[in-house]
């Protein structure tokens, strides 16, 4: 060792300073982000998830000091976007905004999703719930859930229900099972097409998310029968819940959250979690989301991870009970 190096080493010891590199996590936390961040969304542009995701992307851009660019990668019950996300570097520059479709439902609806919904992702934060409601076209002679149940019992196999996503598929099948009725399932590639046919009278009913249904209900193009939850919704207080309608053990909504690839730096995860929770706590942003029909709330990363694991079991049990076979 040269005299200079010896002196530096002794100086470091004397001052209690380590000459080893800084903790990478701390270094990443202070330096992150240094370039644009990609927010992968599992659904098409114009959908509820996309609209909500773009609000978060815009707010994150402001708080993180770097552009957050939305990438829509729809298809395959959200598995296309999920597989794209898990292949990205776990450096915090690829985030994945999704719902229960990719993590709770698809693993049971498909024989091979191509990823592990728990091990292949880093849970960053749950950001809220999308309430689902039961809606009908205006020609259907039912204004309440029990009206629809009576009608379906009079015409077994004739009442049609559309679906545009995994939640809609499971909601329709579970409702039929719990109500003891037989309805004909008409699947669509997405909710917009299903809603168009519902308004046109080509299908009778569907379970759809409240945000994308709201304007059509307000303009009297379709009618709402109930919220797809056991308890009434604060966002739609005038609608009866499934429990109020006499359909027990029926409680369905779509959760939404943000993930990254597996093995992300905990410091970066905590920074993103803090920013997402701060966005939700902003009264102006919260009101904007609430007006859309989105029930926004945050979580800690570990809470979200535990929730995801529990929901995988919950949805698996419901899908099996509904008799839906994986495709």
């Amino acid at each position: 060792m040269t005299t200079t190096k010896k002196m530096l080493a002794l100086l470091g010891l004397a001052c209690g300073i380590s000459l080893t590199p800084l903790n990478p996590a701390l270094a990443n936390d202070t330096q992150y982000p240094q370039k644009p961040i990609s927010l992968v969304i599992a659904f098409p542009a114009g959908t509820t998830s996309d609209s909500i995701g773009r609000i978060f992307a815009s707010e994150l851009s402001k708080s993180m000091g770097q552009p957050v660019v939305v990438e829509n990668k729809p298809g395959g019950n959200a598995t296309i976007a999920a597989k794209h996300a898990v292949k990205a570097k776990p450096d915090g520059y690829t985030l994945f905004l999704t719902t229960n479709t990719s993590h709770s439902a698809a693993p049971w609806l498909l024989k091979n999703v191509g990823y592990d919904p728990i091990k292949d992702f880093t849970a960053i934060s749950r950001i809220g719930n999308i309430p689902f409601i039961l809606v009908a076209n205006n020609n259907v002679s039912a204004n309440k859930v029990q009206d629809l149940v009576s009608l379906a019992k009079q015409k077994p196999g004739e009442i049609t229900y559309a679906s545009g996503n995994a939640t809609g598929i499971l909601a329709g099948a579970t409702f039929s099972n719990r109500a003891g009725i037989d309805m004909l399932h008409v699947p669509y590639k997405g909710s917009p097409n299903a809603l168009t046919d519902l308004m046109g009278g080509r299908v009778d009913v569907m379970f759809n998310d409240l945000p994308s249904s709201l304007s059509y209900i307000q303009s009297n193009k379709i009618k709402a029968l109930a919220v797809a939850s056991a308890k009434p919704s604060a966002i739609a207080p005038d609608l009866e819940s499934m429990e109020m309608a006499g359909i027990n053990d029926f409680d369905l909504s779509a959760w939404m959250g943000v993930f990254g690839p597996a093995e992300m730096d905990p410091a970066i995860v905590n920074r993103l979690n803090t920013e997402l929770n701060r966005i939700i706590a902003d009264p102006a942003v919260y009101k904007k989301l609430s007006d859309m029909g989105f029930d926004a709330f945050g979580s800690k990363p570990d809470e979200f991870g535990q929730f995801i694991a529990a929901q995988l079991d919950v949805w698996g049990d419901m899908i099996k009970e509904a008799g839906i076979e994986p495709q």
Side-chain angles (χ1 to χ4, degrees):
M1 183 182 290
T2 64
T3 302
T4 302
K5 287 183 178 179
K6 286 180 181 177
M7 291 178 64
L8 285 171
L10 290 169
L11 182 61
L13 289 170
C15 299
I17 300 171
S18 170
L19 296 181
T20 57
L22 290 173
N23 184 326
L26 296 175
N28 286 338
D29 187 36
T30 56
Q31 296 170 7
Y32 172 83
Q34 294 184 316
K35 62 181 181 179
I37 298 167
S38 171
L39 180 65
V40 178
I41 296 180
F43 302 96
T47 58
T48 297
S49 296
D50 174 72
S51 300
I52 293 168
R54 288 178 186 274
I55 290 173
F56 278 92
S58 174
E59 295 299 323
L60 273 177
S61 295
K62 297 174 190 174
S63 64
M64 301 289 278
Q66 288 286 348
V68 178
V69 182
V70 169
E71 282 190 75
N72 296 96
K73 291 189 178 295
N77 275 325
T79 60
I80 291 175
K83 284 184 281 191
H84 174 82
V86 298
K87 292 176 183 176
K89 291 181 179 179
D91 54 8
Y93 292 102
T94 299
L95 307 178
F96 179 39
L97 184 142
T98 188
T99 68
N100 48 279
T101 297
S102 60
H103 279 64
S104 303
W108 301 104
L109 294 173
L110 303 174
K111 291 180 179 177
N112 182 17
V113 292
Y115 55 85
D116 186 304
I118 308 297
K119 296 178 182 178
D120 289 343
F121 295 88
T122 297
I124 297 173
S125 183
R126 188 177 174 194
I127 60 173
N129 279 348
I130 306 173
F132 264 61
I133 58 174
L134 175 59
V135 291
N137 78 54
N138 290 327
N139 297 324
V140 173
S141 58
N143 295 310
K144 295 282 187 178
V145 170
Q146 286 302 327
D147 296 340
L148 177 63
V149 171
S150 297
L151 188 63
K153 287 182 176 179
Q154 294 167 18
K155 302 178 179 180
E158 293 184 31
I159 302 297
T160 54
Y161 76 92
S163 69
N165 51 45
T167 305
I169 294 170
L170 181 58
T174 301
F175 174 72
S176 297
N177 186 46
R178 300 274 165 87
I181 57 178
D182 178 20
M183 296 196 299
L184 179 63
H185 181 208
V186 183
Y188 288 81
K189 290 183 177 180
S191 294
N193 293 336
L195 271 173
T196 297
D197 276 7
L198 184 74
M199 287 185 285
R202 286 177 282 277
V203 287
D204 297 315
V205 298
M206 72 178 289
F207 283 90
N208 194 50
D209 64 89
L210 176 59
S212 66
S213 306
L214 200 55
S215 63
Y216 300 113
I217 295 167
Q218 292 170 339
S219 59
N220 297 315
K221 292 180 180 178
I222 57 175
K223 54 186 174 181
L225 306 187
V227 289
S229 55
K231 303 299 179 184
S233 168
I235 296 175
D238 296 334
L239 287 178
E240 66 178 0
S241 68
M242 284 295 169
E243 191 174 273
M244 292 167 61
I247 309 298
N248 297 321
D249 300 320
F250 190 103
D251 194 0
L252 262 179
S253 62
W255 57 260
M256 183 177 286
V258 178
F259 295 86
E263 300 181 359
M264 279 182 64
D265 186 327
I268 291 177
V269 172
N270 288 333
R271 168 78 190 281
L272 288 165
N273 179 270
T274 298
E275 297 299 342
L276 289 168
N277 280 279
R278 186 179 293 138
I279 289 167
I280 293 167
D282 184 315
V285 177
Y286 182 86
K287 184 179 186 305
K288 186 186 296 185
L289 294 167
S290 183
D291 288 345
M292 292 171 58
F294 183 63
D295 181 16
F297 53 84
S299 75
K300 293 295 184 183
D302 58 340
E303 294 171 342
F304 187 35
Q306 292 164 13
F307 173 79
I308 293 303
Q311 283 291 292
L312 185 61
D313 291 337
V314 168
W315 280 71
D317 290 343
M318 287 193 295
I319 287 169
K320 290 172 187 174
E321 182 191 331
I324 301 173
E325 295 292 331
Q327 302 297 312

